[in-house]
Amino acid sequence: DAKTTQPNSMESNEEEPVHLPCNHSTISGTDYIHWYRQLPSQGPEYVIHGLTSNVNNRMASLAIAEDRKSSTLILHRATLRDAAVYYCLNSGGSNYKLTFGKGTLLTVNP
Amino acid sequence: EAGVAQSPRYKIIEKRQSVAFWCNPISGHATLYWYQQILGQGPKLLIQFQNNGVVDDSQLPKDRFSAERLKGVDSTLKIQPAKLEDSAVYLCASRLTGGKGTDTQYFGPGTRLTVL
């Protein structure tokens, strides 16, 4: 199973940028990099994904290293509603299975 | 667009009892997943369906867990008999197609099971 490594927790202040790192040491050439987040008492929700190039959407930006062994999720201005567990995942294999780790618990201080 | 629906939201049972969870995926989504999430951990895939066929059930404890997806739409996950270690949140997710790495999984709110 594809494995990723993330810090257990991070802290940020409201309205400041947040950079959440992830190591994808076992990623293969055809795996996509996905980020999901899970708010308290809810199921995970999709944030962003990419293959090789940096990606932007209304929620966040994704920066992917040239060797694809690491990625960074960027929240440009953290809000209290961004407090959640953030998971980075490799999606690949014949079934494009997502294998979740423990994720990073993001705390946003007012 | 309606999301993934799950019921019940909460269930408390005694060990050795049976329990069933229901999931209604987003309309038109061919792929359906059941995950188990133990407190403090990320979700673990139990079973993946493509339409009404099983694609991956390698982590499903088949001696006590079973799942079906009749007619390729709704799905039920059953535990019989339940053990204390089955206490967890059971999440259902669906996806439009099963063959593309870019497709997003949409998760339901989950069913929180407590086994006493």
Side-chain angles (χ1 to χ4, degrees), chain A residues 39-106:
Chain A
L39 281 68
S41 301
Q42 295 188 25
E45 66 173 348
Y46 168 82
V47 177
I48 199 166
H49 76 274
L51 185 60
T52 56
S53 303
N54 294 345
V55 184
N56 300 296
N57 67 20
R58 64 176 180 81
M59 290 180 71
S61 295
L62 174 60
I64 300 173
E66 195 170 335
D67 64 1
R68 302 201 332 118
K69 298 298 185 185
S70 65
S71 71
T72 303
L73 179 71
I74 303 164
L75 306 179
H76 296 284
R77 291 184 64 194
T79 70
L80 297 178
R81 289 174 296 179
D82 291 323
V85 177
Y86 286 79
Y87 299 98
C88 64
L89 310 101
N90 307 333
S91 175
S94 58
N95 298 330
Y96 292 99
K97 188 166 68 174
L98 294 178
T99 302
F100 288 83
K102 289 190 175 182
T104 296
L105 175 62
L106 175 66

Side-chain angles (χ1 to χ4, degrees), chain A residues 9-20 73-80 82-84 86 104-110:
Chain A
S9 62
M10 291 185 65
E11 212 168 314
S12 173
N13 295 320
E14 202 174 7
E15 298 190 2
E16 290 184 356
V18 181
H19 291 233
L20 296 163
L73 179 71
I74 303 164
L75 306 179
H76 296 284
R77 291 184 64 194
T79 70
L80 297 178
D82 291 323
Y86 286 79
T104 296
L105 175 62
L106 175 66
T107 302
V108 180
N109 300 314

Side-chain angles (χ1 to χ4, degrees), chain B residues 3 9 20-21 35 39 53-54 60 66 75 79 87 90 93 99 110-111 116:
Chain B
R9 291 296 312 277
F21 313 124
Y35 290 85
L39 188 64
V54 175
L60 185 74
S66 63
S75 177
I79 308 175
S87 293
Y90 290 85
T111 297
L116 303 176

